[in-house]
Amino acid sequence: MKSPISAPPAIHLTLPDWLHDFMDSDRRNLETIESRMRLAIKLAALNVQHGSGGPFAALIADMQTHRIIAAGVNRVASANCSMAHAEMVAISLAQQKLGSYDLGGAGFAKFELISSCEPCAMCFGALPWSGIRHLACAARDEDARAIGFDEGPKHPDWRGELEKRGIAVSTDICRDEARKVLTDYAATGGTIYNARQG
């Protein structure tokens, strides 16, 4: 007789305490895409400063009111979870908060994902199923690769592929500021947590 398979432990990702405190105290004007991007870049820098994860952060915001629905930071190494990229964390938190796997569903506002870096292959793959309607990026894929991160294979015209699915794409928003977070992370010996190759 086979033994019953025990239930696996639940996946439980947590955000660092500093992020909650920062977001609760932050009441800045977020009217422009640059102001929202600077907030994401600040979160990426704080994630490194506090030693709570890698140099990436993302926000989900209402495109009309600019209200932040969810904030995510990279938690890969701290959570021992390769899927805990900032974009994946922010999307998941927004979906749970709003009680829907589809942020583009009926009755919802239009939402945007503001990311301190262009999406890697995994995060790119998640975007069409998330329901977001706008992706805004700061640093480029090549900026993350330049310090050693493996961004994975993406469609050569990834922007066009998202736009075909009704997701507008804006790139290079505050790129230099986001690239500085990446290069500072590398210069101070931050962990480049790619999986083993081969």
Side-chain angles (χ1 to χ4, degrees):
M1 179 176 202
K2 292 183 179 179
S3 63
I5 298 173
S6 62
I11 296 172
H12 184 74
L13 294 175
T14 59
L15 292 174
D17 290 338
W18 67 259
L19 190 142
H20 297 292
D21 295 341
F22 181 83
M23 293 302 288
D24 287 345
S25 67
D26 186 62
R27 298 288 180 251
R28 70 182 80 199
N29 181 334
L30 299 174
E31 292 291 315
T32 67
I33 191 64
E34 291 82 9
S35 62
R36 295 189 297 282
M37 185 60 76
R38 285 193 176 98
L39 174 57
I41 294 166
K42 177 69 172 175
L43 293 177
L46 286 170
N47 203 37
V48 173
Q49 180 184 329
H50 287 280
S52 49
F56 305 98
L59 306 167
I60 299 288
D62 181 310
M63 291 176 66
Q64 184 174 2
T65 67
H66 312 301
R67 183 172 68 96
I68 303 300
I69 306 301
V73 291
N74 181 283
R75 301 289 285 165
V76 171
S78 55
N80 291 315
C81 180
S82 63
M83 294 178 291
H85 287 201
E87 299 95 327
M88 302 294 278
V89 172
I91 290 167
S92 298
L93 289 173
Q95 290 170 335
Q96 288 181 355
K97 183 175 183 177
L98 297 174
S100 176
Y101 61 86
D102 182 3
L103 298 177
F108 283 126
K110 290 183 178 179
F111 296 109
E112 64 184 348
L113 173 65
I114 297 114
S115 179
S116 66
C117 190
E118 288 178 359
C120 69
M122 175 178 65
C123 297
F124 167 74
L127 294 176
W129 290 277
S130 70
I132 66 151
R133 290 290 161 246
H134 178 231
L135 168 66
C137 310
R140 292 185 184 175
D141 177 284
E142 65 200 58
D143 300 329
R145 289 181 193 275
I147 66 165
F149 282 106
D150 178 358
E151 297 297 279
K154 282 192 305 205
H155 190 283
D157 183 22
W158 64 271
R159 291 175 191 89
E161 290 299 312
L162 291 177
E163 288 169 353
K164 281 184 203 174
R165 291 175 172 261
I167 302 170
V169 178
S170 304
T171 58
D172 293 339
I173 300 167
C174 307
R175 179 185 178 196
D176 290 341
E177 295 167 48
R179 186 171 40 201
K180 184 175 184 327
V181 174
L182 295 173
T183 56
D184 287 352
Y185 179 77
T188 57
T191 303
I192 306 297
Y193 40 79
N194 296 324
R196 211 171 9 153
Q197 301 297 308

